[in-house]
């Protein structure tokens, strides 16, 4: 058991290293990790009490059939569709075209918009749509990109705490809970504590974080 444990920890460390260095494409690294685990499971099986190998292909590939993973992939597809069609851009442009709204209020409005919608959509398309708008508002306000891009990223992450589909980790945890025999998490089960944390976090990324970021 210790041998298997140390090997998995070694693979995990190697994954972190290659993901951070980005010397190879992320998908190549991911497939390489899965291949290493599949080969290891065949050469050094880890048997349970019934004599069944817990590192066989069935167990290692079962995650691809997980309903939570399918839901995450569906959200990615929907997010890509929103990116291609620019369906959310008119809402975000409202903060730029509004002549009566100060620039700092527009920045706050964009952060709030991204936070709210990231509770129901994938973060990536929202950030992609908001980046050029945030840059335009920053220029009009005389604020450098370095002080607005990181708050934008954090706002999208904070919104993921509000609902079950706000973050892929929420869906995966809910699926694991069901596998352990408990009831699945509801869509708004952690909305209240998530709102408290997201509200405090939004104030931080709007007021304090820009003061800590470099001006470049």
């Amino acid at each position: 058991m210790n041998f298997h444990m140390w090997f998995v920890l070694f693979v995990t460390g190697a994954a972190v290293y290659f993901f951070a260095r980005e010397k190879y494409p992320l998908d190549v690294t991911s497939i390489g990790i899965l291949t290493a685990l599949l080969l290891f499971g065949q050469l050094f099986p880890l048997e349970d009490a019934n004599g069944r190998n817990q590192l066989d292909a069935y167990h290692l590939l079962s995650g691809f059939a997980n309903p939570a993973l399918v839901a995450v992939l569906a959200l990615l597809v929907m997010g890509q569709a929103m990116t291609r069609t620019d369906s959310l851009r008119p809402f975000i442009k409202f903060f730029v075209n509004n002549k009566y709204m100060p620039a700092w209020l527009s920045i706050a409005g964009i952060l709030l918009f991204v936070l709210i919608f990231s509770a129901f959509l994938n973060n990536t398309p929202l950030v992609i749509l908001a980046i050029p708008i945030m840059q335009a508002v920053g220029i009009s306000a005389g604020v450098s990109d370095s002080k607005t891009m990181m708050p934008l990223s954090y706002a999208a992450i904070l919104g993921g705490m509000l609902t079950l589909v706000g973050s892929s980790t929420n869906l995966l945890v809910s699926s694991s809970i069901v596998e352990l025999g408990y009831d699945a998490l509801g869509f708004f089960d952690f909305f209240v504590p998530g709102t408290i944390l997201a509200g405090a976090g939004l104030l931080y990324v709007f007021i304090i974080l820009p003061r800590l970021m470099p001006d470049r």
Side-chain angles (χ1 to χ4, degrees), residues 146-162:
S146 60
K147 292 183 178 294
T148 57
M149 293 298 107
M150 192 60 73
L152 176 63
S153 175
Y154 280 136
I157 295 173
L158 289 170
M161 299 189 299
L162 301 180

Side-chain angles (χ1 to χ4, degrees), residues 95 98-107 137:
F95 300 104
N98 195 325
K99 300 179 181 179
Y100 303 101
M101 184 179 295
W104 65 268
L105 188 58
S106 295
I107 293 177
V137 175

